Amino acid sequence: MGMPSFPKAAHDAVGDTTLRANLRHATHTIRDKRARAVAELDDWAALREAGKRIKDETLRRLDTYLVRLEAAVTAAGGTVHWAADAAEANRIVAALVRATGETEVVKVKSMATQEIRLNEHLEAEGIAAYETDLAELIVQLGEDRPSHILVPAIHRNRGEIRDIFKEKMGSWGRPAPEGLSDTPAELAEAARLHLREKFLRAKVGISGANFMVAETGTLVVVESEGNGRMCLTLPETLISVVGIEKVVPTWRDLEVFLQTLPRSSTAERMNPYTSMWTGTADEDGPRAFHLVLLDNGRTDALADEVGRQALRCIRCSACLNVCPVYERAGGHAYGSVYPGPIGAILTPQLRGTSSEIDASLPYASSLCGACYEVCPVAIDIPEVLVHLRERVAEEGGSGHRLEKAAIKAASWILDRPNVLAAGERLASATRKVHPKRLPGPGARQWSDHRDLPELPAEPFRDWWRKNRS
Amino acid sequence: MTDAVSARERILARVRAAVANAPEAPAVARDYRTSHTADDPAAVLGLLHENLADYRAHVHRTAPADLAALVAERLAERGARSIAVPPGLPEAWLAATDAVRRPDEPRLTPYELDGVDAVVTGCALAIAETGTIVLDGGPGQGRRALTLVPDLHVCVVLAPEQVVASVPLALPRLDPGRPLTWISGPSATSDIELDRVEGVHGPRTLEVILVTGD
């Protein structure tokens, strides 16, 4: 894909003060609200543990649950398709749309379809795919990329959004109203008017799903705006593209996730709308329902005994909102539809670590652990990051040989206290002439992005000996 | 579709190989709470009222004898002159309104629904802790589009029989075979600077009437 590595992309993002202000405001707002929503449930720890175990059980017997799901969906009047990779999924969806004779589709926000770049593929096939989530609409009209799992236009402020609507809505359908202001209410109203004509005429809807229940064949979509309900119920044909890890074994399992997901993601007791459907229903909703089960690297992640826990993810995005690295670098720096801490472990597993960006992602973290604390399915993101760093290091690359050499040198010195003390004194004595950046390959990149600590006038151990012993 | 069959077998084989040596997952412990609320119908109803209102639904209480008058008043207050009527809606609920009735038999097209001001429905149940009403397409609720396209939704909840305290108490009472819609307040978005704005694509106004007493 030719994406720049994380440090390079993050460097530009960190210099963008508007972006940093937008992100800081948004992530701090939501993390504070989330803490309050979670505090309402005094059994949060038990819900978190149950969610973790349900997902682990699902992954352990994923084949059984997928086959069970397929049988239940089929029995309820749906058709199940399997796609090993993005190309296969795109082919299946395009063929299904073409079979309807339609050349436009309305879409519910879906990470899976972003991951496989479905919109671009459909466009190449002459099919227009309209994003209908407000944030996705902002991203699509702005010819931009999403930067957050839950609120993909989090990097845009209201003024930027107004400008995008005024400039671009007209070329996609109903133009923005005259004299559109930048209040969120007016912007939402403009989106309502713009999209309603598309909803009413739509014959094909495309969605993902938050959960699929193996036992019953039920698919679940949680959302807020009602655009999801429009796409799921008004068209004649519904196509849902869903990652194979989104299955849960039983109907009852939803009682856990419907408590933890809304509170973790939008910090609400419950999101405004949740739709559940099982195959097709007489007289209610689409007459044809197709489920496309997507692998696209998930079985690679499943094969990694440490990394497979990333597949527990329910895409709440709580980890993004607490991450100090995400807050400063923004979602685009991660070069993937999955940004933030979860993206840093999920993307290199789904895509492998051969490209520059994917090899850099496990390092896009300070390992502070806040992401693990807030994760409603207890994914130990720091553990997986360290594990993936090992993998990248084993695969080689000049930076990592240097790192190994540095660590070797450090352990030699740390094993010899006298050498260390002499070095410290020398460093203190010469501190006036120290450069602001480290020289040399590898080291210079490090200090390009960090201020070097100032050395004290005397080593701590000398000070201790003088003053305390 | 030989391709599809082979993709299926390929994926399942990859799954089986990936977890072949994985340890058994520990059993799922369900030691979380079934409910966070005292088992007292009045308290549960109070919480439902509070949580619905917190997410900007307009909540009213009435006795069965006064329901028709309240439905008529809510429709008039919002200027609703036409209403979509789901099959099986008790005729008595609409006895006092002079709004034009648009029965959904035969099915109204999306454009016809867009021209209707309001919809009046019952519900399958309501969940107090989350401030949620659940529709399952049963009598008096209609198909999902009916409560989606018109801009005003007036929903009648019969208490205490349709009210449960929590999500874990709700699921066993619902039939997954039916299309389900869970509604927690009116349509909303937080996509612009995370400011919550009510009303995007679904009904911008949700009026919930809690019917209590005999």
Side-chain angles (χ1 to χ4, degrees):
Chain A
M1 297 236 289
M3 284 280 187
S5 66
F6 182 83
K8 225 174 286 169
H11 181 269
D12 297 341
V14 166
D16 182 341
T17 49
T18 307
L19 174 74
R20 284 187 64 167
N22 293 354
L23 277 173
R24 195 186 140 73
H25 167 71
T27 54
H28 281 254
T29 304
I30 197 152
R31 76 166 77 155
D32 296 345
K33 281 190 190 161
R34 179 205 157 273
R36 286 198 294 276
V38 165
E40 281 188 7
L41 301 184
D42 58 6
D43 58 341
W44 186 259
L47 284 165
R48 183 176 187 246
E49 182 64 19
K52 172 190 173 185
R53 290 197 190 184
I54 291 167
K55 283 289 189 173
D56 279 347
E57 160 63 20
T58 308
L59 294 172
R60 181 65 185 79
R61 274 179 241 290
L62 189 56
D63 55 333
T64 305
Y65 293 122
L66 287 174
V67 169
R68 196 169 292 171
L69 172 76
E70 179 187 42
V73 170
T74 308
T79 308
V80 177
H81 310 259
W82 300 69
D85 56 26
E88 196 160 27
N90 286 328
R91 257 200 322 274
I92 292 168
V93 176
L96 289 169
V97 177
R98 267 201 312 272
T100 66
E102 296 296 317
T103 54
E104 59 179 42
V105 301
V106 287
K107 285 191 67 212
V108 192
K109 176 172 152 3
S110 139
M111 302 305 297
T113 60
Q114 274 176 32
E115 178 190 319
I116 62 173
R117 301 174 65 80
L118 177 66
N119 292 7
E120 289 85 344
H121 182 85
L122 290 177
E123 193 186 339
E125 300 258 337
I127 298 163
Y130 297 117
E131 293 293 348
T132 64
D133 171 77
L134 177 54
E136 290 287 357
L137 177 72
I138 295 164
V139 168
Q140 189 173 45
L141 291 176
E143 289 162 50
D144 194 1
R145 287 183 292 127
S147 70
H148 190 281
I149 289 174
L150 178 78
V151 271
I154 198 170
H155 57 290
R156 297 290 200 183
N157 62 32
R158 57 188 73 192
E160 295 175 291
I161 294 168
R162 185 207 36 214
D163 295 345
I164 291 169
F165 279 11
K166 278 170 75 172
E167 223 172 276
K168 297 288 179 55
M169 267 185 174
S171 51
W172 283 79
R174 183 174 176 148
E178 283 294 315
L180 180 65
S181 83
D182 67 357
T183 63
E186 270 194 43
L187 295 170
E189 172 72 11
R192 179 186 179 94
L193 295 171
H194 177 78
L195 287 172
R196 186 150 285 223
E197 59 169 30
K198 294 188 169 65
F199 290 134
L200 296 180
R201 69 168 185 245
K203 296 282 184 279
V204 183
I206 296 182
S207 82
N210 295 89
F211 306 100
M212 311 183 281
V213 182
E215 177 185 42
T216 61
T218 308
L219 269 75
V220 182
V221 164
V222 304
E223 52 132 359
S224 299
E225 296 171 7
N227 67 302
R229 293 181 63 195
M230 292 274 180
C231 298
L232 297 170
T233 58
L234 294 185
E236 290 165 7
T237 301
L238 172 60
I239 304 164
S240 300
V241 181
V242 189
I244 51 176
E245 83 284 12
K246 291 291 183 81
V247 67
V248 297
T250 69
W251 175 246
R252 187 183 176 189
D253 293 331
L254 293 177
E255 73 188 13
V256 174
F257 301 113
L258 289 179
Q259 293 190 80
T260 53
L261 176 56
R263 288 178 200 263
S264 299
S265 59
T266 52
E268 292 167 307
R269 295 184 192 101
M270 189 65 86
N271 46 290
Y273 295 132
T274 298
S275 295
M276 301 182 184
W277 73 99
T278 306
T280 56
D282 294 339
E283 300 292 305
D284 189 346
R287 287 185 304 226
F289 169 56
H290 296 273
L291 172 60
V292 181
L293 294 172
L294 178 71
D295 180 345
N296 203 34
R298 284 159 178 75
T299 47
D300 290 329
L302 188 64
D304 186 315
E305 58 183 272
V306 178
R308 68 167 65 107
Q309 59 184 305
L311 296 177
R312 292 205 294 257
C313 178
I314 55 174
R315 310 282 189 263
C316 72
S317 72
C319 62
L320 277 60
N321 301 325
V322 296
C323 177
V325 176
Y326 175 87
E327 183 187 321
R328 287 161 181 83
H332 290 155
Y334 295 79
S336 150
V337 298
Y338 304 108
I342 186 64
I345 61 169
L346 196 55
T347 307
Q349 293 199 81
L350 295 180
R351 299 202 297 218
T353 46
S354 57
S355 77
E356 198 189 349
I357 178 82
D358 293 331
S360 71
L361 285 176
Y363 296 87
S365 167
S366 63
L367 299 180
C368 77
C371 47
Y372 175 45
E373 290 298 311
V374 297
C375 178
V377 286
I379 301 170
D380 192 341
I381 295 176
E383 181 191 23
V384 183
L385 283 166
V386 171
H387 167 74
L388 291 173
R389 286 181 189 187
E390 264 173 52
R391 191 206 284 188
V392 171
E394 275 164 19
E395 284 165 2
S398 60
H400 301 102
R401 279 199 299 279
L402 206 89
E403 188 180 54
K404 277 181 201 160
I407 287 169
K408 223 168 160 183
S411 39
W412 185 84
I413 292 172
L414 291 170
D415 282 345
R416 290 164 179 78
N418 292 335
V419 178
L420 179 63
E424 283 170 352
R425 276 178 215 125
L426 178 67
S428 290
T430 58
R431 68 194 189 115
K432 290 277 181 287
V433 297
H434 290 172
K436 291 277 174 258
R437 288 156 139 212
L438 295 173
R444 204 166 55 79
Q445 281 96 307
W446 194 88
S447 57
D448 272 352
H449 304 288
R450 295 165 176 86
D451 297 324
L452 285 179
E454 247 181 71
L455 282 164
E458 83 184 312
F460 172 74
R461 292 189 299 177
D462 289 359
W463 176 90
W464 180 266
R465 202 168 299 121
K466 239 187 288 170
N467 293 293
R468 292 286 187 273
S469 57
Chain B
M1 299 283 276
T2 49
D3 257 13
V5 172
S6 71
R8 178 184 193 274
E9 295 318 315
R10 261 196 333 272
I11 293 169
L12 288 173
R14 289 176 60 86
V15 167
R16 286 173 190 133
V19 295
N21 297 317
E24 289 298 314
V28 177
R30 297 195 190 264
D31 45 12
Y32 47 85
R33 290 181 187 280
T34 306
S35 154
H36 301 79
T37 314
D39 189 16
D40 162 20
V44 171
L45 189 65
L47 186 63
L48 174 67
H49 189 146
E50 190 183 311
N51 284 340
L52 277 165
D54 194 30
Y55 284 172
R56 316 283 167 82
H58 302 272
V59 189
H60 315 269
R61 296 199 196 196
T62 189
D66 302 324
L67 175 59
L70 185 56
V71 168
E73 179 210 295
R74 296 326 305 155
L75 292 169
E77 178 111 336
R78 301 280 172 196
R81 291 203 293 260
S82 59
I83 44 170
V85 182
L89 190 81
E91 187 51 43
W93 293 5
L94 301 181
T97 179
D98 53 8
V100 175
R101 290 157 172 73
R102 299 294 307 273
D104 192 38
E105 295 166 319
R107 294 213 296 179
L108 299 163
T109 67
Y111 290 99
E112 285 169 338
L113 275 178
D114 194 39
V116 173
D117 295 329
V119 63
V120 178
T121 74
C123 69
L125 54 82
I127 306 166
E129 284 177 9
T130 57
T132 304
I133 52 179
V134 183
L135 308 186
D136 70 355
Q141 300 166 51
R143 63 198 166 96
R144 289 169 287 174
L146 283 189
T147 51
L148 172 63
V149 183
D151 205 17
L152 166 64
H153 178 193
V154 179
C155 184
V156 176
V157 181
L158 305 178
E161 61 267 36
Q162 289 184 326
V163 181
V164 297
S166 67
V167 172
L169 292 174
L171 283 163
R173 288 184 45 170
L174 295 168
D175 176 358
R178 310 178 78 108
L180 300 172
T181 306
W182 298 40
I183 298 171
S184 311
S187 161
T189 183
S190 303
D191 279 346
I192 301 166
E193 298 182 19
L194 289 173
D195 273 359
R196 197 171 202 272
V197 180
E198 270 76 33
V200 196
H201 304 298
R204 281 178 285 197
T205 308
L206 174 65
E207 301 262 358
V208 179
I209 300 178
L210 307 174
V211 182
T212 52
D214 307 309

